[in-house]
């Protein structure tokens, strides 16, 4: 399985933990590597360089200025980085002349200048950094504590983070050391880079971004291990991106972060089912922890959906005001994500991902008891298409019994439809594009309908649980029953259309 290039863990250091981190870094050593670093991130106003995959910076460490040009890798090419001394502290494209990225930089800026677009400082970071190398569990791990500011567009944002980077030795030692530091100091996993935060601040968006699902990228002849690595990375990125959004994001987008984090968890659980028996399985405690976190976040979401959705719909329908709240408030999702148990779980998933990546790939064929080689497993594309056909058949069976399904049966059907949609997205690089597009469109339509139906069932259960229903609750229950019947009538034909679309093949 492909292994991430950089094995590191990055944490947001809460204000109350800053002194503790500094003291922990100094404990047991007489000297530490310390310094100040100012980084000016250069680009045009329309982000011409970033859109071309280039990063251009001026850095001042102490009194020394260095100009750095970096280019993203691609098409089998590794990332490129070129550094050049720049005593004057002013940007100069000539410092990178003669390199492919440098020539590309000069061309882009010439075109920008012809249009009146000048390069300038898009954002800057200024930090006091403390570095320490530690030996732990047979590994050498570098700890870097950055404390300072990000500045852009006339605004400043505090930057305080602690990063663990494996220099040498087993990956497991890094994760074990990070956990030992995380727990007593209350560190919070943060997947954002300072550059990503600076870009958002320059765009006038200081809060953490909403992380929606994206398709995994891998070759159409990939092995199950390689494809699973790409899928796993995508799911974890969505989970961790929205986790930090709940911790350090815009409170107004709380509902969206909760929803997207639950989507990420469901997608990860679907990935485990989609690749079941083809790749190593995670420990049961990781899966159980993820399931419990999903349920807790569901309690948060149910209260939000009821308050912002159904209650508002009832008011528009002329419902009398409800004297008692329709249900208990759910837990605070930000507090849930800051909690030690959740942070331990999120870090453990990253550790498992690194461990699986470092494991040797299984042999293509195993020997039989008689010493004869067994048949090699079919290509992943064929196995994926076969699994999708089998899961599609279960959806068809549920459609044939749709009129008789109770609430539990409808909920189970909704989960099957979601699982099928996510699985198709995971296997998309292997499948026929036109078939994928047609099938996903049919899945999306019925998934949205079933989701709306589920929200109505949640609201119905809350109103039915009221100790003293009263006129407002009876009005709500009657309205909900009518809406449920209407949505069931709409869902039937949409489900029939899905049943008549063949799942995509290899």
């Amino acid at each position: 399985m492909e292994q991430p290039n950089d094995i590191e863990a990055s944490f947001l250091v809460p204000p109350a933990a800053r002194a503790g981190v500094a003291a922990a870094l100094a404990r047991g050593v007489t000297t530490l590597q310390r310094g100040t670093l100012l980084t000016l991130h250069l680009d045009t106003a329309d982000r011409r360089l970033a859109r071309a995959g280039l990063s251009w910076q001026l850095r001042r460490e102490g009194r020394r200025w260095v100009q750095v040009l970096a280019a993203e890798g691609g098409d089998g090419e590794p990332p490129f980085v070129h550094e050049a001394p720049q005593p004057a502290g002013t940007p100069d494209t000539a410092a990178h002349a003669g390199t492919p990225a440098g020539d590309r930089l000069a061309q882009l800026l010439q075109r920008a200048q012809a249009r009146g677009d000048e390069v300038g400082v898009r954002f800057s970071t200024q930090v006091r950094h403390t570095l320490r190398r530690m030996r732990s569990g047979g590994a050498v791990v570098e700890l870097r504590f950055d404390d300072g500011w990000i500045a852009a567009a006339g605004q400043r944002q505090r930057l305080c983070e602690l990063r663990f980077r494996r220099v040498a030795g087993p990956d497991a030692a890094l994760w074990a050391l990070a956990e030992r530091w995380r727990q007593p100091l209350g560190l919070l996993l943060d997947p954002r880079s300072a550059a990503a935060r600076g870009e958002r601040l320059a765009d006038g968006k200081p809060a953490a971004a909403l992380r929606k699902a994206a398709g995994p990228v891998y070759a159409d002849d990939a092995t199950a291990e390689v494809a699973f690595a790409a899928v796993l990375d995508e799911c974890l990125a969505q989970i961790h991106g929205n986790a930090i959004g709940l911790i350090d994001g815009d409170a107004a987008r709380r509902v969206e972060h909760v929803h997207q984090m639950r989507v990420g968890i469901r997608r990860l659980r679907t990935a485990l089912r989609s690749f079941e028996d083809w790749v190593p399985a995670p420990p049961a405690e990781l899966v159980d922890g993820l399931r419990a976190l999903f349920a807790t976040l569901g309690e948060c979401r149910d209260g939000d959906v009821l308050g912002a959705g159904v209650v508002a719909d009832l008011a528009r329908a002329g419902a009398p005001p409800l004297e008692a709240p329709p249900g208990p408030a759910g837990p605070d999702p930000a507090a849930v994500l800051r909690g030690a148990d959740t942070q331990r779980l999120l870090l453990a998933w990253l550790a498992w991902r690194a461990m699986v990546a470092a494991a040797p790939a299984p042999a293509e064929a195993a020997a039989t008891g008689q010493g004869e080689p067994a048949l090699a497993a079919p290509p992943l594309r064929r196995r994926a298409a076969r699994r999708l056909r089998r899961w599609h058949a279960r959806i068809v069976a549920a459609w044939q019994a749709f009129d008789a399904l109770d609430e539990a049966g409808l909920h189970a059907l909704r989960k099957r439809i979601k699982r099928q949609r996510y699985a198709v997205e995971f296997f998309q690089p292997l499948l026929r594009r036109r078939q994928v597009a047609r099938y996903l469109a049919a899945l999306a339509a019925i998934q949205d309908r079933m989701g709306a139906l589920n929200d109505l069932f949640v609201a119905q259960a809350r109103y039915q649980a009221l100790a003293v229903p009263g006129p407002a609750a009876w009005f709500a229950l009657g309205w909900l029953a009518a809406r449920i019947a209407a949505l069931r009538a709409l869902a039937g034909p949409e489900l029939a259309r899905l049943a008549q679309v063949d799942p995509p093949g290899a």
Side-chain angles (χ1 to χ4, degrees):
M1 188 174 291
E2 291 184 346
Q3 186 172 357
N5 293 326
D6 297 321
I7 306 299
E8 66 174 38
S10 182
F11 295 88
L12 175 70
V13 179
R18 288 168 185 157
V21 169
L25 283 169
R27 191 173 298 125
V29 295
T30 56
T31 60
L32 287 170
Q33 184 178 341
R34 290 189 173 95
T36 59
L37 180 64
L38 170 65
T39 304
L40 309 179
H41 296 257
L42 307 171
D43 208 335
T44 58
D46 62 356
R47 301 182 68 245
R48 186 179 299 264
L49 302 185
R51 288 187 286 109
L54 297 179
S55 172
W56 197 26
Q57 302 171 1
L58 271 174
R59 298 178 184 170
R60 187 186 70 194
E61 188 157 7
R63 296 182 178 180
R64 179 173 176 264
W65 282 96
V66 176
Q67 189 170 272
V68 182
L69 177 63
E72 298 175 355
D75 296 328
E77 294 294 326
F80 170 87
V81 178
H82 183 255
E83 297 187 4
Q86 197 64 20
T90 55
D92 182 9
T93 58
H96 308 294
T99 66
D103 295 342
R104 176 66 173 152
L105 172 68
Q107 292 173 1
L108 287 169
L109 293 186
Q110 285 174 2
R111 293 172 187 169
Q113 290 170 356
R115 297 182 179 182
D117 298 329
E118 296 293 332
V119 71
V121 178
R122 180 163 171 80
F123 64 92
S124 64
T125 58
Q126 185 166 11
V127 298
R128 296 183 301 275
H129 62 79
T130 305
L131 274 73
R132 178 181 176 180
R133 285 195 174 187
M134 299 182 64
R135 292 188 176 275
S136 178
V140 178
V141 180
E142 179 185 84
L143 284 69
R144 179 179 177 120
F145 178 38
D146 284 343
D147 190 4
W149 299 91
I150 304 171
Q155 300 183 71
R156 290 208 312 170
Q157 188 177 81
R158 192 65 188 255
L159 174 62
C160 194
E161 63 180 16
L162 179 64
R163 296 199 303 273
F164 297 76
R165 184 177 67 89
R166 179 185 61 81
V167 177
D171 299 339
L174 178 144
W175 304 107
L177 180 64
E179 174 59 23
R180 288 201 301 273
W181 281 59
R182 181 207 60 77
Q183 189 170 6
L185 294 168
L187 304 177
L188 303 167
L189 270 169
D190 190 347
R192 301 170 298 176
S193 66
R197 292 179 62 182
E199 287 288 356
R200 285 190 61 79
L201 191 61
D203 288 335
K205 302 173 181 177
L210 188 70
R211 178 53 160 88
K212 295 187 177 182
V217 178
Y218 56 87
D220 59 4
D221 59 351
T223 64
E225 292 76 24
V226 169
F228 181 62
V231 170
L232 184 57
D233 286 341
E234 163 53 30
C235 295
L236 289 174
Q238 186 177 11
I239 292 169
H240 286 88
N242 288 293
I244 196 63
L246 285 166
I247 291 170
D248 195 40
D250 185 352
R253 305 199 75 176
R254 186 189 84 160
V255 175
E256 296 173 272
H257 280 296
V258 169
H259 173 65
Q260 290 298 329
M261 187 168 180
R262 293 186 83 236
V263 170
I265 293 173
R266 188 181 287 280
R267 291 175 79 232
L268 177 52
R269 292 169 62 186
T270 298
L272 299 177
R273 290 287 304 275
S274 299
F275 287 86
E276 192 173 16
D277 300 327
W278 304 341
V279 297
E285 57 267 25
L286 291 189
V287 179
D288 292 342
L290 207 63
R291 185 180 294 110
L293 178 58
F294 183 84
T296 300
L297 291 174
E299 296 174 17
C300 303
R301 181 183 180 275
D302 287 348
D304 290 330
V305 167
L306 190 63
V310 173
V311 171
D313 290 341
L314 282 166
R316 284 190 291 268
L322 189 67
E323 296 179 1
D332 176 13
V336 171
L337 269 296
R338 289 192 189 98
D341 290 342
T342 303
Q343 288 292 314
R344 184 183 305 110
L345 174 68
L346 296 178
L347 184 61
W349 270 101
L350 290 180
W352 182 75
R353 164 65 178 102
M355 181 201 71
V356 171
E364 288 296 324
T368 65
Q370 290 75 31
E372 295 293 330
L375 294 176
L380 177 60
R381 61 173 64 247
R382 286 173 51 193
R383 285 181 282 169
R386 189 162 54 236
R387 183 158 285 180
L388 291 175
R389 286 196 300 270
R390 186 168 68 250
W391 288 356
H392 178 80
R394 295 175 184 174
I395 294 174
V396 172
W399 160 63
Q400 293 169 340
F402 182 73
D403 290 341
L405 293 180
D406 57 9
E407 181 181 342
L410 290 171
H411 184 62
L413 173 58
R414 173 173 168 261
K415 290 198 295 185
R416 281 195 181 124
I417 291 168
K418 279 190 174 184
R419 182 183 68 181
Q420 186 77 341
R421 180 179 178 180
Y422 298 152
V424 171
E425 291 171 346
F426 295 154
F427 294 137
Q428 188 166 351
L430 309 169
L431 306 172
R432 295 172 186 164
R433 293 184 181 180
R434 290 184 180 179
Q435 290 183 346
V436 166
R438 185 169 64 251
Y439 192 67
L440 283 178
L443 279 169
I446 186 60
Q447 181 182 333
D448 289 345
R449 188 73 68 192
M450 297 296 288
L453 193 58
N454 181 73
D455 289 344
L456 294 175
F457 280 126
V458 170
Q460 188 181 58
R462 288 285 184 91
Y463 281 102
Q464 288 172 340
L466 289 176
V468 182
W474 289 121
F475 182 99
L477 288 170
W479 181 87
L480 287 167
R483 287 293 297 152
I484 288 171
L487 288 191
R488 284 195 68 144
L490 293 172
E494 290 172 339
L495 190 58
R497 284 193 288 273
L498 172 62
Q500 294 164 7
V501 178
D502 292 331

